[in-house]
Amino acid sequence: MREWRERDQLLRDRRTTQLKILTDTRGRADAAIEHEQAARQAAEQAADAAKASAARRAADERRIEHASAAWEDSFPDDWHERTDEERELSAPWSDEEWLRARTRLFLAALDLHRAFITGAARTIRINLLQLAAKLAGERDAPPPDAELAAWQTLFLLVPVISTTFSSCGRLFGALGRESLGWLLVDEAGQAAPQAPVGALWRARRAVLVGDPLQLEPVVALPEAVQELLQECYGIEPEWLPSRTSAQSAADRVNRLGTSVRRRRKDGELESVWVGAPLRVHRRCERPMFDISNAIAYDGLMVHGTRYKQFPDESQKYPPSSWVDVVSTDTEGKWVPAEGAAVAMMLDKLHHRYGVELDRIRVLSPFRDVVKGCKDAIRALGWASSPPPGVKDYDKQVSDFIKANIGTVHTMQGKESDVVILVLGTRPERNRGARDWASETSNLLNVAVSRAKRRLFVVGNHAVWSQNRYFGTLAAELPRHSWPPNKDANL
């Protein structure tokens, strides 16, 4: 009996175990069925999503094709396939219709502005009279705390006021911190780093525009004294006013930019950080562009200037060149033979080809060469023999001599169709002067990039081409001997 009971219990345990296994198996089977159903549902959803995605892609491709046809070159569908130069020269999305709409919006905004001014004319007039009294130093000028309102009224009428750093403190003396909306600094590469501090303090935002690879700031304090002060106060040499500029200081805090290699005065290469560089150059034709790009910008610039026949469509002037004047007859750095070459070239440009004087500039690194050029042109007697039908010709000649003949330093920021660069110096002397002119690429870069259509260099080719950067200039320009023969293409 006992054996029967033990066997019965064993069978019961086995049955319980098998029932449990059966239950687990059924659970797993049900879960597998549910998983299969979920997978089928997910597959169906994925297939639907794929169809929807394909439909959207097809619609997007049709829109892209439509946009490409409508916007043509303004649509950047092949942006990654374009070369670096092609990307720099393009203006994505700026099609004619969009530009016209932007222009209409701007004109409408001006109309609204004008309507407001007309409606508040009496108040505006009173405020402007108060500002005029302040600028004239009259007794009834507005108090300093009211002066900002008077200035804001003027800014409402005239959005941009032009001034210099030296007069900014006097002009806006009553205006406090961040009282002006925008400060725009032009030619910041020529400004000492401390010059715009007062203007920056008064502005909420600032844009400094300049070229650290053109002429550096002119500082009256000798560099030797600057170095003594630098050592005394433990300042890094890079902050010397004669070695940096407001533009360089602004570039230091600009995260967007690139590095350009340049050669220091000691001949060693250094890397210069240039903030937000505008790479496309739209002023100079070749070879001026190629010369500047080679000596100053490490090939970074992109040529964007459209060729135009010079001086006009009916006639073509000879190309840029170097007039090789070899002479030991000098007066300081002035070479009279170079003056004769300049006089002949000016006569040909102005009288034979009809190029107006305001389209020509004569530059030199040296003041005594500039003086010699002015004297040589006065000696031509143009003012006393005006061309037929030309009024005020004597004033045109006088203005040309006064404003369009000068040192390279006085011409930064200016441009002309024709630039004649007169080098001067005596071949066996003045080596120090030539070394100074070629100490960095900045001076030659400014001189060359003033010329839009033609550049003519007048000087001793063999002597000057030995100097740094001037060798590149000599290699890019065809050479013509002076005095010219009858077949010379000058």
Side-chain angles (χ1 to χ4, degrees):
M1 185 70 173
R2 185 170 45 188
E3 291 180 1
W4 180 85
R5 288 177 178 174
E6 290 177 355
R7 183 175 179 80
D8 182 65
Q9 185 62 42
L10 179 62
L11 291 173
R12 286 176 182 271
D13 292 342
R14 288 180 178 177
R15 179 176 177 273
T16 301
T17 302
Q18 293 300 319
L19 288 174
K20 185 179 179 181
I21 292 173
L22 177 62
T23 301
D24 292 343
T25 302
R26 286 176 177 174
R28 287 196 297 272
D30 292 341
I33 292 171
E34 292 177 359
H35 181 74
E36 180 187 8
Q37 291 174 346
R40 287 180 178 177
Q41 186 177 4
E44 291 173 357
Q45 292 174 349
D48 292 341
K51 291 179 181 178
S53 177
R56 288 194 301 270
R57 178 176 179 178
D60 289 341
E61 289 177 348
R62 287 194 296 271
R63 284 195 292 270
I64 290 173
E65 290 175 1
H66 176 74
S68 180
W71 288 323
E72 297 180 348
D73 292 340
S74 299
F75 187 74
D77 55 338
D78 59 346
W79 187 256
H80 296 292
E81 299 174 6
R82 300 184 188 184
T83 65
D84 183 57
E85 182 172 330
E86 289 172 340
R87 286 196 294 267
E88 289 291 334
L89 291 171
S90 65
W93 312 112
S94 299
D95 68 312
E96 290 297 325
E97 183 180 357
W98 183 85
L99 292 174
R100 286 194 297 269
R102 186 176 68 169
T103 301
R104 290 194 299 269
L105 176 63
F106 177 70
L107 294 176
L110 289 181
D111 286 338
L112 177 62
H113 203 74
R114 180 171 53 190
F116 174 82
I117 293 170
T118 303
R122 184 176 180 277
T123 302
I124 289 175
R125 183 175 183 274
I126 293 172
N127 287 358
L128 292 179
L129 289 174
Q130 292 291 309
L131 182 60
K134 182 269 174 186
L135 295 176
E138 298 177 2
R139 292 183 178 180
D140 58 345
D145 58 348
E147 190 175 317
L148 176 59
W151 275 112
Q152 288 172 335
T153 302
L154 179 61
F155 284 129
L156 184 66
L157 294 172
V158 185
V160 180
I161 303 296
S162 178
T163 185
T164 61
F165 290 133
S166 59
S167 62
C168 182
R170 296 190 301 273
L171 188 63
F172 301 120
L175 304 190
R177 179 179 180 180
E178 296 187 355
S179 55
L180 301 176
W182 285 90
L183 170 68
L184 308 178
V185 180
D186 191 22
E187 295 293 348
Q190 271 195 301
Q194 71 274 13
V197 168
L200 288 169
W201 178 75
R202 291 179 172 87
R204 290 191 292 273
R205 301 176 184 86
V207 177
L208 281 77
V209 181
D211 189 343
L213 302 178
Q214 293 197 359
L215 290 177
E216 299 165 330
V218 177
V219 181
L221 192 67
E223 189 166 347
V225 178
Q226 295 178 44
E227 291 174 349
L228 289 175
L229 293 172
Q230 169 241 319
E231 293 177 4
C232 179
Y233 289 96
I235 299 172
E236 293 296 326
E238 64 193 75
W239 290 110
L240 289 180
S242 60
R243 297 183 188 176
T244 191
S245 65
Q247 182 65 47
S248 298
D251 285 344
R252 288 170 66 96
V253 296
N254 194 337
R255 293 176 298 169
L256 303 176
T258 189
S259 295
V260 179
R261 292 182 305 166
R262 74 170 178 184
R263 201 169 293 278
R264 299 197 306 250
K265 294 179 180 180
D266 60 7
E268 295 296 322
L269 285 173
E270 67 175 351
S271 181
V272 179
W273 178 256
V274 180
L278 303 179
R279 295 180 55 194
V280 179
H281 182 94
R282 302 186 186 275
R283 175 193 294 158
C284 305
E285 293 181 357
R286 289 185 162 98
M288 291 77 74
F289 167 82
D290 296 321
I291 295 169
S292 285
N293 204 20
I295 67 174
Y297 300 105
D298 196 25
L300 182 69
M301 288 200 302
V302 174
H303 191 237
T305 308
R306 293 184 179 180
Y307 172 79
K308 289 173 59 178
Q309 185 162 298
F310 177 79
D312 52 48
E313 294 299 325
S314 63
Q315 52 185 346
K316 184 176 181 180
Y317 198 81
S320 302
S321 63
W322 185 312
V323 180
D324 185 13
V325 179
V326 180
S327 175
T328 57
D329 179 18
T330 62
E331 300 170 13
K333 300 181 186 68
W334 168 242
V335 182
E338 293 181 7
V342 171
M344 187 209 76
M345 296 168 70
L346 284 173
D347 183 71
K348 181 177 180 180
L349 277 163
H350 183 50
H351 289 121
R352 287 177 53 188
Y353 281 82
V355 180
E356 295 86 351
L357 292 175
D358 60 4
R359 299 175 66 186
I360 306 170
R361 291 188 188 273
V362 180
L363 314 183
S364 177
F366 311 112
R367 284 192 293 268
D368 48 354
V369 176
V370 170
K371 179 181 179 301
C373 289
K374 290 184 176 183
D375 292 341
I377 294 167
R378 288 192 188 99
L380 295 175
W382 284 357
S384 59
S385 55
V390 178
K391 297 181 179 180
D392 300 324
Y393 186 67
D394 56 341
K395 185 178 184 302
Q396 292 183 32
V397 175
S398 175
D399 290 346
F400 170 73
I401 294 174
K402 181 179 179 180
N404 285 34
I405 303 176
T407 62
V408 177
H409 284 77
T410 63
M411 296 297 175
Q412 178 154 323
K414 301 173 183 177
E415 61 185 36
S416 286
D417 285 333
V418 181
V419 165
I420 301 175
L421 176 60
V422 188
L423 298 177
T425 71
R426 187 180 179 92
E428 66 273 15
R429 299 178 186 174
N430 305 133
R431 180 175 179 178
R434 292 189 292 272
D435 289 342
W436 168 82
S438 59
E439 207 169 32
T440 66
S441 65
N442 300 46
L443 184 141
L444 183 58
N445 180 30
V446 171
V448 169
S449 59
R450 299 313 93 195
K452 296 165 61 177
R453 307 297 172 198
R454 294 291 188 274
L455 171 67
F456 298 103
V457 178
V458 180
N460 192 310
H461 189 277
V463 170
W464 276 95
S465 62
Q466 300 303 312
N467 284 69
R468 189 188 302 164
Y469 311 117
F470 285 86
T472 301
L473 180 69
E476 289 286 344
L477 295 176
R479 183 181 69 88
H480 299 288
S481 299
W482 179 266
N485 57 50
K486 63 179 181 179
D487 297 323
N489 196 18
L490 293 176

